[in-house]
């Protein structure tokens, strides 16, 4: 959790996290169409979530307002 604040639309949470991903698209036969299965990418995500004030179920009340993602090549 990077930040939380009250805005006009209600409570907003900013969440950041990293993931390591391999981006590959394969054909139905399994041939590589795009990407590299050996290339690991580090992805940095930032999500902005807003609490829906009209939703009474707390498990379903958070809505994704915005998302940002950036990638860099992981050096192993």
């Amino acid at each position: 959790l990077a930040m939380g604040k009250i805005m006009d639309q209600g409570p907003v949470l900013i969440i950041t996290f990293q993931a390591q991903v391999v981006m590959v698209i394969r054909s139905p036969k399994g041939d590589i169409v795009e990407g590299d299965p050996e290339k690991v990418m580090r992805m940095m995500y930032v999500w902005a979530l807003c609490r829906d004030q009209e939703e009474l179920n707390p498990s379903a009340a958070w809505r994704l307002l915005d998302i940002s993602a950036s990638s860099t090549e992981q050096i192993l």
Side-chain angles (χ1 to χ4, degrees):
L1 180 62
M3 181 174 54
K5 63 186 335 185
I6 300 295
M7 299 183 73
D8 291 339
Q9 62 266 44
V12 174
L13 298 177
I14 307 297
I15 298 170
T16 62
F17 61 97
Q18 291 185 22
Q20 292 179 328
V21 298
V22 175
M23 296 186 193
V24 176
I25 298 173
R26 294 183 183 267
S27 71
K29 293 180 181 179
D31 299 325
I32 296 173
V33 175
E34 188 177 325
D36 182 354
E38 301 298 318
K39 186 176 182 181
V40 179
M41 302 294 289
R42 179 182 297 158
M43 297 291 296
M44 176 65 181
Y45 293 98
V46 179
W47 289 3
L49 299 156
C50 179
R51 177 75 159 78
D52 184 347
Q53 300 296 318
E54 296 180 11
E55 177 61 59
L56 298 178
N57 180 355
S59 298
W62 290 94
R63 305 285 185 243
L64 188 61
L65 282 179
D66 197 9
I67 184 171
S68 172
S70 61
S71 67
T72 59
E73 187 172 351
Q74 179 74 36
I75 299 173
L76 300 176

